[in-house]
Amino acid sequence: MNTLETAIVRLLREKPFYGHFILNLRRAERFSSGNAAGVTIRDGVPTLSLNTPLFAALSREGQQALLEHMVKHLLHLHPLRRKQRNRHDWDVACDLAINPGIEGLPDDALLPEQYGLDAGLAAEEYYGFLVPPFDTGNLEGSGYGDGEQEDQGAAGQGRAAVRDGVTLDDHAIWSDADSTPLPLGEEMVRAITRDSLRGSDGEAPEEIRALVEGLLRPSPVPWRQLLRQFVATAGRVGRKSTWAREHRRFSHRTPGIRKRRRLNLLVGIDVSDSTNIVELREAFARELVQIARGRDAHITVLYANSRIQRVDAFSNSSFVPQRYDGGGFTDLRPVFEYARAMYPLPAAVIYLTDGIGPAPETMPFPTLWVLTREGDRPVPWGVELRLDV
């Protein structure tokens, strides 16, 4: 990772917004890809995957161009916007939308003029030019029934350039984003964008300023919808046998397989004086009740201020709202220390708080900060939800 850190330091000096954005991404090593790096939204969390040897082999300009390229993919929410489109052509369209204006791109980088198109269009517009009106081929391949040729575009007049198009970064990992609802993924990217602006003294590069401003002034997403989407994404996938479903291979001689989502959730509730708002706590509790009763769920609730004051555990059938008033000041760390010691580990942590208090520097669990109206997210990691009732 030293090569990446060095590249980020250079980016922080020259283009601080991009540098701070990369710093806020979760990181993962990726050895099987033929690309030096890629970004996606995995389990609701924006993630940078790196093939270190390939990244180190790039020039300094190439490394900086690649990092800037990947930040723009996330700002445009490209991994989340593919929907049912042909994968290869959507990958090409996304690169055409963001590559113009990036300095230091390799010679084989995809650019609109290579396809006789103007710069400055959205990925959906480029996709419309690349795909024939009646392209009904395999969505996992290239169209027109040649689905096994996944690295090619649809055959036909004017498609030779698309057939040879190779994206700058790894787009195969974008499939990891399929399980993340668009509003939740957008909120995650929005939170990172806010932190990146703070770190760069409120200045975004000119070429993305309008995009950033639009991302930070979205149409409001109801907090209940975002909470439900976060919980749905965090639920652990499991399998169980069932005679109600036919086995795909052995017919009714063998029970089929049914996927299930077991939700093991840890909920922290700040009981200090600053969050003693009856309407807020009751609205939050009612929504958790509805979520728990509609799923195979086990929820542990911690009532905490500077330490854990009370622990309650509920299953989906027995979950009822409780009240506990503790007062005092807030230390956010005990809840996460408890989470690390749980067995099995929680799928996610949801913390209702004003965010004022010390918190861990890092945390491996997906975390949703449910903040009061005047609250502030205490650390860069986690998703921010503003509970306004």
Side-chain angles (χ1 to χ4, degrees):
M1 289 292 181
N2 290 336
T3 302
L4 176 62
E5 300 298 343
T6 302
I8 292 175
V9 169
R10 292 196 301 268
L11 202 58
L12 286 169
R13 288 198 303 263
E14 299 176 25
K15 296 186 176 182
F17 176 86
Y18 290 113
H20 284 285
F21 200 101
I22 293 292
L23 280 175
N24 278 290
L25 300 180
R26 178 182 289 177
R27 300 182 197 174
E29 283 279 0
R30 184 172 176 84
F31 298 101
S32 59
S33 170
N35 298 89
V39 288
T40 188
I41 298 179
R42 183 174 297 150
D43 299 326
V45 180
T47 302
L48 167 66
S49 291
L50 191 72
N51 187 320
T52 302
L54 293 181
F55 186 80
L58 298 175
S59 66
R60 290 188 176 186
E61 294 77 12
Q63 291 174 357
Q64 180 165 318
L66 178 58
L67 294 176
E68 182 178 337
H69 174 94
M70 293 188 295
V71 169
K72 288 184 175 180
H73 273 319
L74 288 177
L75 288 174
H76 284 276
L77 307 174
H78 284 160
L80 295 165
R81 287 163 50 192
R82 183 174 60 187
K83 298 182 180 178
Q84 300 301 315
R85 297 183 176 93
N86 171 266
R87 189 182 74 184
H88 173 274
D89 293 343
W90 176 248
D91 291 346
V92 172
C94 290
D95 270 25
L96 295 181
I98 66 174
N99 279 345
I102 299 179
E103 298 178 357
L105 290 173
D107 294 337
D108 59 350
L110 299 173
L111 294 170
E113 55 263 30
Q114 297 167 356
Y115 300 85
L117 301 173
D118 295 328
L121 304 181
E124 286 82 357
E125 294 175 288
Y126 286 120
Y127 184 84
F129 285 114
L130 296 176
V131 180
F134 300 103
D135 183 355
T136 57
N138 188 329
L139 293 177
E140 289 300 321
S142 59
Y144 291 123
D146 56 352
E148 70 280 4
Q149 302 176 22
E150 292 192 355
D151 293 330
Q152 300 181 6
Q157 183 178 3
R159 302 288 290 174
V162 180
R163 184 178 296 277
D164 296 332
V166 178
T167 58
L168 189 61
D169 56 325
D170 183 7
H171 290 196
I173 59 174
W174 286 8
S175 59
D176 294 347
D178 291 345
S179 61
T180 299
L182 178 58
L184 176 60
E186 184 177 2
E187 187 62 33
M188 300 284 280
V189 173
R190 183 177 299 118
I192 292 178
T193 302
R194 289 195 192 100
D195 289 336
S196 302
L197 277 176
R198 293 190 192 106
S200 56
D201 296 327
E203 289 295 325
E206 178 64 30
E207 71 273 11
I208 59 170
R209 191 166 298 162
L211 176 63
V212 168
E213 291 175 354
L215 186 63
L216 296 182
R217 289 198 301 268
S219 57
V221 177
W223 69 266
R224 291 177 177 84
Q225 177 185 344
L226 189 58
L227 176 61
R228 287 175 178 270
Q229 290 177 349
F230 179 85
V231 170
T233 303
R236 181 165 57 87
V237 175
R239 297 173 182 270
K240 67 177 180 179
S241 299
T242 173
W243 287 103
R245 176 174 300 205
E246 180 179 289
H247 196 285
R248 290 186 176 182
R249 183 174 181 183
F250 301 109
S251 187
H252 282 299
R253 292 174 293 175
T254 304
I257 302 296
R258 173 175 294 169
K259 291 184 179 180
R260 65 178 180 178
R261 298 181 71 85
R262 169 71 176 181
L263 179 63
N264 184 34
L265 192 66
L266 178 65
V267 177
I269 297 180
D270 183 352
V271 296
S272 62
D273 293 333
S274 57
T275 58
N276 189 19
I277 304 171
V278 175
E279 296 83 359
L280 182 145
R281 290 191 189 178
E282 290 184 348
F284 180 65
R286 285 195 300 270
E287 193 59 26
L288 283 179
V289 168
Q290 295 302 317
I291 291 172
R293 288 177 177 172
R295 310 191 48 152
D296 182 11
H298 181 82
I299 300 180
T300 302
V301 181
L302 306 181
Y303 301 89
N305 42 31
S306 59
R307 59 188 178 88
I308 296 173
Q309 301 287 347
R310 174 173 168 174
V311 180
D312 286 330
F314 306 95
S315 66
N316 55 327
S317 59
S318 64
F319 189 31
V320 293
Q322 301 285 335
R323 265 192 67 86
Y324 182 87
D325 299 317
F329 65 92
T330 303
D331 187 335
L332 303 168
R333 293 171 293 187
V335 167
F336 293 99
E337 292 169 1
Y338 189 99
R340 290 181 183 273
M342 289 178 66
Y343 183 81
L345 293 173
V349 176
I350 297 177
Y351 210 138
L352 173 63
T353 179
D354 62 358
I356 301 175
E361 293 184 0
T362 60
M363 183 53 54
F365 309 106
T367 301
L368 180 66
W369 298 103
V370 182
L371 300 173
T372 58
R373 184 181 305 172
E374 305 300 328
D376 191 18
R377 187 161 57 128
V379 286
W381 49 266
V383 185
E384 175 184 334
L385 184 157
R386 194 72 53 172
L387 200 158
D388 195 358
V389 294

